[in-house]
Amino acid sequence: MDNLANDTRDLKLDDNNVPIGPAPPPAGADLSTMFPGLPAGYKVNTGMTLEETIADLNKHPLFMTELDDAEENEELAALQSLAYDGTPLENGLNFKEQGNECFKAKKWADAKEFYGKGVQILQAEEFRRSKGIKKKVQKQQEVAMRSEEEQKAFEEREKKRLAGNDGSGVVKEDEKTATKEEYEEVEDDPEETQKERTLLEQLYVNRAACHLELKNYRSCTLDCAAALRLNPKNVKAFYRSAKALLAVNKIVESDDACARGLEIDSSNAALQQLAKEIIAKNETVTAHKKAEEKRAADARRKEVLLKAALEARNIKTRSTGKPPDMEDAHVQLVPDPLDPQSSLSVPTMLLYPADYESDFIKAFNETESLEQHFGYVFPLPWDRENKYTANNVECYVETVSGGLAKVGKKVSLLKVLSSGNVEIVDDLLKIFVVPKGKAEGWVKDWKEKKLGRK
């Protein structure tokens, strides 16, 4: 109880468990007066809901979780403009050159990254133009008036400004206004725009080449498609797309891309060679497909013929859904499963219940008898008393009704199975082999166990 009282005092609760302390501030109150430790220049937005506050923070580059394509974000645009020195075209060219150097050195992954950075820069310009947003540049008079040191200081100041000069991550309103005054909107130069699009097209096909080497076939086709949207006559894009499609066995699509490329440049040696590869691959795939179809057709025919053979012989079969593991052993027609004149072969298990042992006969032909198989099965390696000989054993099979039927050792398997009283379960026939001296007692035990189960 003393501990509880101390905890209650620490939480400053009155006797009615109501917190003691100042009431929450009213809506619209200036919270900055309550938090004197906030960084200088930080102005708390008042009269805003939690959702509105989060949305406002999400407009700032340091806090945003996704780009908002629906509106122009001045802070983000300024930050992007400072990401690299130079114009988008100059930066794109620089990344292309670095990518080319890596590609020559067969550093496919590095080359892909450089080309990708160039693509991002020029893609942003394409997106800006598609939205009708004008280009923002520093006012020429402002730049002209600065020395090189002043320009560097300006750029450094811009970076700090976007992070909040005081480290708070919040841009002051007067700083926003100052920045707006140093930038102006200008129309895009058609010649430079065309150069950017040509460069973007080149970056796409170059990156596609990297994807091809890295076996990123889907990415390769996507980059080729992007290049072809910019220039429908880009032969390299058709070639690399056809190569990627061929690698994933999309023969028809690969052939179409190759044909389109040859329509543009019929003398292109690479496309001509690729066309030959497509033809060869198509022949291989077609031959494989025909072989698969033949195998499937043969399997269906085998199944039909086996079923017909079992019905013609009046042999019953049953499946439990849990077949034993016999590898490739199964009931079949031999020597040719597709020949109705072939004989039946049945996997057979010889069980020795008196000694808890067994033998497996993978292919017991319907024309053979137990005596024939006993010729190589006996003597048994574990039968030290020599109890198991062809003349000293009795053989039984379980009937459909659950009883036992005696099997003659000289009788063919076909005669045993065609009686209609015996069935093959899960592609396996079980035959019980018992020494004559124990046969009567074993049969009696079997019947008693069956009665006990009932």
Side-chain angles (χ1 to χ4, degrees):
M1 290 297 293
D2 292 339
N3 290 336
L4 178 61
N6 291 335
D7 291 343
T8 304
R9 285 194 295 273
D10 291 340
L11 291 172
K12 296 183 179 180
L13 301 176
D14 63 11
D15 294 336
N16 295 319
N17 288 333
V18 177
I20 301 172
D30 185 0
L31 300 182
S32 59
T33 59
M34 299 181 62
F35 302 98
L38 285 173
Y42 189 101
K43 181 175 175 58
V44 178
N45 289 317
T46 57
M48 296 174 66
T49 64
L50 176 61
E51 289 77 10
E52 290 171 337
T53 302
I54 293 173
D56 186 58
L57 285 173
N58 197 44
K59 294 179 182 179
H60 193 281
L62 292 180
F63 299 107
M64 60 174 47
T65 57
E66 58 183 8
L67 294 178
D68 186 358
D69 296 336
E71 66 180 62
E72 182 181 359
N73 188 312
E74 295 173 355
E75 285 81 6
L76 180 60
L79 185 62
Q80 288 175 333
S81 70
L82 293 173
Y84 308 106
D85 292 331
T87 65
L89 182 61
E90 291 170 342
N91 291 325
L93 281 168
N94 179 48
F95 282 124
K96 179 190 173 185
E97 290 170 0
Q98 293 181 74
N100 288 347
E101 290 176 6
C102 290
F103 194 89
K104 289 176 183 177
K106 297 185 178 182
K107 297 179 179 179
W108 320 121
D110 292 339
K112 177 178 71 71
E113 291 302 315
F114 281 121
Y115 293 140
K117 288 181 179 180
V119 166
Q120 289 175 354
I121 292 172
L122 298 177
Q123 265 186 338
E125 289 299 294
E126 282 289 290
F127 177 78
R128 176 183 60 76
R129 284 190 287 266
S130 70
K131 294 295 183 180
I133 301 171
K134 292 183 178 180
K135 182 185 292 188
K136 281 192 174 185
V137 297
Q138 292 183 37
K139 292 180 180 179
Q140 293 302 313
Q141 60 269 31
E142 294 286 343
V143 177
M145 291 173 63
R146 299 191 194 112
S147 65
E148 185 176 348
E149 290 76 11
E150 289 174 334
Q151 178 64 18
K152 288 182 178 179
F154 168 77
E155 292 174 359
E156 186 62 30
R157 189 169 66 254
E158 280 292 274
K159 292 177 182 179
K160 288 183 178 180
R161 182 189 70 80
L162 290 168
N165 284 327
D166 51 14
S168 65
V170 179
V171 182
K172 299 178 183 178
E173 293 297 326
D174 57 342
E175 290 175 340
K176 290 183 181 180
T177 304
T179 302
K180 290 178 183 178
E181 292 173 354
E182 294 180 349
Y183 284 88
E184 62 181 345
E185 293 182 343
V186 298
E187 297 291 339
D188 285 286
D189 179 4
E191 183 178 350
E192 185 173 2
T193 297
Q194 185 54 47
K195 287 181 180 179
E196 287 180 359
R197 287 177 175 165
T198 300
L199 177 59
L200 180 57
E201 174 194 345
Q202 294 169 353
L203 288 166
Y204 274 130
V205 292
N206 287 2
R207 189 169 68 174
C210 297
H211 283 309
L212 199 57
E213 294 291 345
L214 295 168
K215 295 181 171 50
N216 300 331
Y217 299 122
R218 184 173 182 276
S219 296
C220 176
T221 58
L222 291 175
D223 274 351
C224 289
L228 289 168
R229 282 194 291 271
L230 292 167
N231 177 14
K233 294 187 176 182
N234 191 306
V235 175
K236 287 184 178 179
F238 280 121
Y239 172 76
R240 286 165 188 166
S241 180
K243 286 279 286 186
L245 291 165
L246 182 62
V248 293
N249 289 331
K250 292 191 175 182
I251 309 296
V252 176
E253 294 86 344
S254 177
D255 183 58
D256 179 67
C258 185
R260 289 174 184 269
L262 286 170
E263 285 179 6
I264 299 167
D265 184 2
S266 59
S267 62
N268 188 288
L271 281 171
Q272 289 174 349
Q273 178 59 35
L274 181 58
K276 293 178 182 178
E277 293 175 14
I278 292 172
I279 293 172
K281 187 67 172 285
N282 183 55
E283 291 175 351
T284 302
V285 171
T286 301
H288 180 72
K289 185 177 180 182
K290 286 182 178 179
E292 286 294 323
E293 290 174 350
K294 186 178 183 303
R295 276 194 288 271
D298 286 349
R300 289 193 296 270
R301 179 171 168 76
K302 287 177 185 178
E303 187 177 347
V304 170
L305 288 174
L306 179 60
K307 184 178 180 181
L310 291 169
E311 290 178 353
R313 291 164 172 78
N314 192 34
I315 296 175
K316 295 182 178 181
T317 61
R318 177 166 59 90
S319 174
T320 64
K322 296 179 180 179
D325 182 11
M326 300 187 294
E327 297 182 351
D328 60 340
H330 56 89
V331 178
Q332 60 181 326
L333 291 172
V334 292
D336 184 2
L338 296 174
D339 184 2
Q341 301 302 317
S342 294
S343 59
L344 201 65
S345 173
V346 182
T348 303
M349 182 75 74
L350 299 180
L351 300 170
Y352 310 106
D355 291 276
Y356 303 101
E357 295 286 351
S358 64
D359 278 315
F360 180 65
I361 301 174
K362 186 175 182 180
F364 197 141
N365 194 278
E366 64 180 350
T367 62
E368 298 169 345
S369 66
L370 275 168
E371 189 175 57
Q372 288 175 273
H373 287 280
F374 285 159
Y376 66 85
V377 172
F378 297 153
L380 298 170
W382 45 265
D383 181 21
R384 296 181 180 179
E385 299 176 9
N386 200 29
K387 295 180 295 183
Y388 292 87
T389 63
N391 295 323
N392 194 42
V393 294
E394 300 287 0
C395 302
Y396 303 88
V397 291
E398 185 175 2
T399 63
V400 175
S401 60
L404 288 172
K406 193 173 182 179
V407 178
K409 287 167 284 189
K410 295 183 179 181
V411 175
S412 69
L413 181 63
L414 175 59
K415 189 173 182 179
V416 174
L417 294 174
S418 61
S419 65
N421 195 33
V422 180
E423 62 182 356
I424 300 172
V425 181
D426 291 328
D427 268 5
L428 180 67
L429 175 66
K430 295 179 181 179
I431 299 178
F432 300 95
V433 182
V434 186
K436 284 184 177 180
K438 297 182 179 181
E440 185 177 351
W442 179 79
V443 170
K444 184 179 179 181
D445 287 344
W446 173 279
K447 292 179 178 179
E448 288 177 354
K449 288 178 182 178
K450 284 291 181 181
L451 289 173
R453 289 174 192 169
K454 293 179 180 179

